[in-house]
């Protein structure tokens, strides 16, 4: 017979402070590692004697393992316990980070990254559950505010920190920095949470569901990561991966909905608040993350920015996010979270609309202003939507709900990245073709331009080459503007998803209600 879930009282005083810092450190370390290695791939590839394409598996291997393990959080929590699982994840993350830094060959590094990604999976969902159980019901939104600050800032800090470490030290230190942070987080977690363990239930292992999950998630993630390099569906490998992902996903859904002990609780999607909140947050995060990759890529390839300088352009996004997130947490219990989420999505729409008006002569202030505006939206992106997603759930279902919601968000981040890079290539090609159509002998403007360039000492061939280069740069600019404008429009449309939810505001907040029952 299953034991009744254990309910623990909220923390207070020094224990609450230490517990919050411990959880936040673990989350920051985790999220940082999803992007910190990106700018160091050329250095890592060179040191290990492999090509840059092979080096990108350092990112892919972590992403695949992480995506597979996140939705398993609820099932693992039932078998191991929240605190033990969270602590084990931190310690194994430290060990695997140390292994990554010591890696003498690429296969060893990839194996270490797979372990690192797999053990990192449960950390983010469990951090939400532990924080919610630590705060009184009325202050649960503040807990989510503190959590969201680390989740939002780390992806921006990753490339900056990774570039600085690569330039000034050596790439293994990208992984070694996790060791002191992880040890401190683990020690603080054990000190505060060791007597707040959740009920353990020895549910049978859903071997079929687990196998299908690994198949479809692994295939989809590899397809997304390698699609652009292999020219998508012109590659047999991509077609096979897509078929495996679709077929395995179809069987996975049917199996998990009918299994007695499913490895992923898909019945959560039967709840309106969970579905609306999860999809709105996941798609919004996919747009945010896709643009987070697109903007520096455009700055580096078209405007001549270095990786570090491109990262610094994005850095101001954290200013308002850090300043306003606590205020969002403070006011959330007093208002409908849908209003805050709607305002955040409108701010994101404004930010991307401002970027859609960039020109090839854009200056630093024009680049920075939308980034500052985006920080305002980020302060209201996670907190109300996570609150809505977890509303009405009993505490023992929070790890499973948080794990599934974060899984959908992470997958949408990967999908957004792949779609944006591919779409930019296609829009570039289309705009370039349209622009060079005008460069012909029957166009008097073109002839006049060639004549003027000839007067400056250029041959006709040199003049045509210069005009083609200008067309290429302008096509890239028009292509990136198209995607910024599209992002703005989608954020406005997503507001409809927010309003299909009906959060219950009784008792000081939905997340708080769930927190009061969390174990």
């Amino acid at each position: 017979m299953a034991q009744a879930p254990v309910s623990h009282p909220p923390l207070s005083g020094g224990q609450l402070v230490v517990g919050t810092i411990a959880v936040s450190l673990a989350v920051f370390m985790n999220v940082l590692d999803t992007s910190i290695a990106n700018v160091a791939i050329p250095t890592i590839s060179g040191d290990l004697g492999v090509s840059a394409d092979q080096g990108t598996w350092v990112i892919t291997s972590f992403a695949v393992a992480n995506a597979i393990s996140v939705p398993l959080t609820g099932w693992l929590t039932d078998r191991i316990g929240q605190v033990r699982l969270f602590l084990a994840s931190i310690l194994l993350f430290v060990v695997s980070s140390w292994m990554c830094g010591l890696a003498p060959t690429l296969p060893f590094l990839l194996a270490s990254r797979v372990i690192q990604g797999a053990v990192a999976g449960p950390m983010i969902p469990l951090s939400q559950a532990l924080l919610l159980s630590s705060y009184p019901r009325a202050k649960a939104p503040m807990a989510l505010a503190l959590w969201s600050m680390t989740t939002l800032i780390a992806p921006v800090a990753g490339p900056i920190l990774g570039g600085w470490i690569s330039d000034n030290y050596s790439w293994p230190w990208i992984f070694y920095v996790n060791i002191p942070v992880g040890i401190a987080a683990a020690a603080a977690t054990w000190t505060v949470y060791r007597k707040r363990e959740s009920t353990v239930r020895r549910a049978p292992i859903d071997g079929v569901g687990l196998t299908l999950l690994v198949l479809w998630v692994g295939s989809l993630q590899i397809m997304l990561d390698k699609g652009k390099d292999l020219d998508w569906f012109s590659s047999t490998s991509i077609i096979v991966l897509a078929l495996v992902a679709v077929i395995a996903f179809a069987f996975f859904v049917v199996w998990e909905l009918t299994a007695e002990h499913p490895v992923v609780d898909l019945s959560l999607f039967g709840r309106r608040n969970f579905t609306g909140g999860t999809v709105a947050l996941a798609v919004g995060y996919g747009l945010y993350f896709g643009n987070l990759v697109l903007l520096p890529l455009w700055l580096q390839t078209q405007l001549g920015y270095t990786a570090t300088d491109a990262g610094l352009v994005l850095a101001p996004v954290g200013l308002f996010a850090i300043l306003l997130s606590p205020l969002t947490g403070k006011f959330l219990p007093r208002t409908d979270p849908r209003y805050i989420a709607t305002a955040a999505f409108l701010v994101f729409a404004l930010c991307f609309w401002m970027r859609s008006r960039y020109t090839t002569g854009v200056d630093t202030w024009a680049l920075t202003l939308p980034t500052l505006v985006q920080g305002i939206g980020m302060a209201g992106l996670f907190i109300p939507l996570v609150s809505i997603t977890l509303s009405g759930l009993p505490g023992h279902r929070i790890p499973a709900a948080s794990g599934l919601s974060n899984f959908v968000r992470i997958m949408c981040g990967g999908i957004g990245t792949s779609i944006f890079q591919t779409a930019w290539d296609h829009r570039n090609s289309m705009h370039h073709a349209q622009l060079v159509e005008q460069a012909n002998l029957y166009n008097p403007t073109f002839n006049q331009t060639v004549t003027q360039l000839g007067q400056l000492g250029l041959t006709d061939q040199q003049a045509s080459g210069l005009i083609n280069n200008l067309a290429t740069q302008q096509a890239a600019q028009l292509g990136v503007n198209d995607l910024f404008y599209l992002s703005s429009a989608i954020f406005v449309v997503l507001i409809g998803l927010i309003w299909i939810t009906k959060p219950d505001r009784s008792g000081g907040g939905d997340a708080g209600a769930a927190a009061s029952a969390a174990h």
Side-chain angles (χ1 to χ4, degrees):
M1 182 179 295
Q3 294 176 281
V6 180
S7 179
H8 295 289
L11 295 172
S12 60
Q15 278 200 322
L16 181 60
V17 174
V18 173
T20 301
I21 292 173
V23 171
S24 299
L25 277 176
V27 172
F28 187 83
M29 172 183 70
N30 182 328
V31 179
L32 189 74
D33 257 55
T34 62
S35 61
I36 194 171
N38 294 18
V39 296
I41 293 302
T43 305
I44 294 173
S45 302
D47 283 358
L48 297 180
V50 298
S51 67
D53 282 349
Q54 290 175 301
T56 58
W57 282 100
V58 173
I59 301 170
T60 304
S61 56
F62 180 92
V64 171
N66 188 251
I68 291 170
S69 64
V70 169
L72 298 177
T73 302
W75 177 74
L76 288 170
T77 300
D78 284 343
R79 295 183 63 84
I80 300 173
Q82 279 186 18
V83 178
R84 280 190 290 270
L85 180 57
F86 188 68
L87 192 62
S89 294
I90 295 173
L91 292 174
L92 289 172
F93 193 87
V94 168
V95 172
S96 56
S97 297
W98 174 69
M99 292 169 59
C100 287
L102 289 178
T105 63
L106 182 64
F108 190 96
L109 177 58
L110 295 182
S112 302
R113 284 286 279 176
V114 167
I115 297 170
Q116 191 185 41
V119 301
M123 239 189 273
I124 291 180
L126 287 178
S127 68
Q128 285 181 347
L130 288 174
L131 269 183
L132 287 174
S133 70
S134 302
Y135 281 73
R137 175 184 297 189
K139 292 186 177 179
M142 181 60 71
L144 291 175
L146 295 169
W147 177 89
S148 70
M149 284 165 59
T150 55
T151 309
L152 291 168
I153 303 307
V156 179
I160 301 172
L161 185 60
W164 183 81
I165 289 174
S166 297
D167 291 342
N168 294 280
Y169 295 95
S170 58
W171 67 263
W173 283 98
I174 288 173
F175 303 108
Y176 289 152
V177 293
N178 293 327
I179 296 175
V181 175
I183 290 173
T189 298
W190 174 249
T191 302
V192 174
Y193 291 105
R194 67 180 184 275
K195 295 181 180 178
R196 298 172 64 85
E197 188 56 271
S198 61
T199 304
V200 175
R201 296 188 298 114
R202 296 295 179 185
I205 297 174
D206 179 14
V208 175
L210 182 58
T211 302
L212 290 170
L213 176 72
V214 171
L215 267 178
W216 82 261
V217 173
S219 299
L220 178 61
Q221 190 69 50
I222 294 171
M223 184 189 82
L224 292 172
D225 287 345
K226 293 298 175 185
K228 184 173 181 292
D229 294 336
L230 299 177
D231 197 20
W232 290 101
F233 293 102
S234 62
S235 164
T236 304
S237 299
I238 295 297
I239 293 172
V240 170
L241 286 168
L243 289 173
V244 171
V246 170
I247 294 169
F249 175 73
F251 277 102
F252 172 78
V253 171
V254 173
W255 180 268
E256 293 299 281
L257 289 175
T258 55
E260 186 176 354
H261 299 284
V263 73
V264 178
D265 187 4
L266 295 181
S267 67
L268 287 162
F269 282 108
R271 305 177 69 94
R272 177 191 297 188
N273 289 345
F274 180 84
T275 301
T278 294
V279 176
L281 179 56
V283 177
Y285 182 80
L287 289 169
Y288 162 69
F289 207 77
N291 279 279
L292 192 65
V293 172
L294 179 66
L295 186 60
L297 185 65
W298 166 62
L299 290 174
Q300 291 175 70
T301 58
Q302 302 300 321
L303 300 188
Y305 279 63
T306 64
T308 303
D309 288 341
L312 289 173
V313 167
L314 294 172
V317 77
L319 180 62
F320 284 117
I322 291 173
L323 292 175
L324 297 179
S325 287
L327 291 177
T328 304
K330 182 179 180 181
F331 286 108
L332 187 62
R334 307 175 191 174
T335 187
D336 189 324
R338 294 176 296 185
Y339 289 123
I340 298 177
T342 298
F345 276 34
L346 288 173
V347 170
F348 267 95
L350 173 63
C351 164
F352 289 122
W353 177 80
M354 292 169 71
R355 286 176 175 161
S356 73
R357 302 174 67 81
Y358 283 160
T359 66
T360 52
V362 63
D363 58 27
T364 303
W365 171 244
L367 290 169
T368 305
L369 181 59
T371 304
L372 286 168
V373 171
Q374 190 176 32
I376 300 172
M378 287 172 69
L381 178 65
F382 271 96
I383 307 164
L385 288 173
V386 171
S387 175
I388 290 170
T389 300
L390 302 180
S391 65
L393 286 170
H396 66 277
R397 296 193 75 184
I398 287 181
S402 181
L404 184 54
S405 177
N406 276 286
F407 164 71
V408 177
R409 177 179 61 83
I410 290 169
M411 290 303 296
C412 278
I415 291 169
T417 300
S418 296
I419 289 176
F420 270 73
Q421 291 187 59
T422 302
W424 189 35
D425 284 344
H426 284 298
R427 299 301 292 180
N428 286 359
S429 299
M430 185 201 75
H431 284 299
H432 188 269
Q434 291 175 342
L435 289 170
V436 296
E437 278 180 4
Q438 306 302 318
N440 58 72
L441 297 175
Y442 302 102
N443 186 331
T445 304
F446 172 75
N447 289 330
Q448 183 180 359
T449 302
V450 171
T451 302
Q452 290 174 343
L453 291 172
Q455 292 171 353
L456 294 174
L458 274 67
T459 66
D460 286 354
Q461 187 175 2
Q462 289 172 329
S464 297
L466 177 60
I467 291 171
N468 184 65
N469 288 339
L470 292 173
T472 300
Q473 186 181 34
Q474 190 62 41
Q477 181 67 66
L478 293 171
V480 80
N481 286 356
D482 290 345
L483 294 176
F484 288 144
Y485 189 82
L486 180 63
S487 299
S488 177
I490 294 175
F491 264 109
V492 173
V493 172
L494 283 176
I495 293 172
L497 275 176
I498 297 171
W499 287 93
I500 70 168
T501 65
K502 290 187 176 180
D504 176 12
R505 301 305 301 159
S506 61
D510 309 308
S516 66
H519 44 102

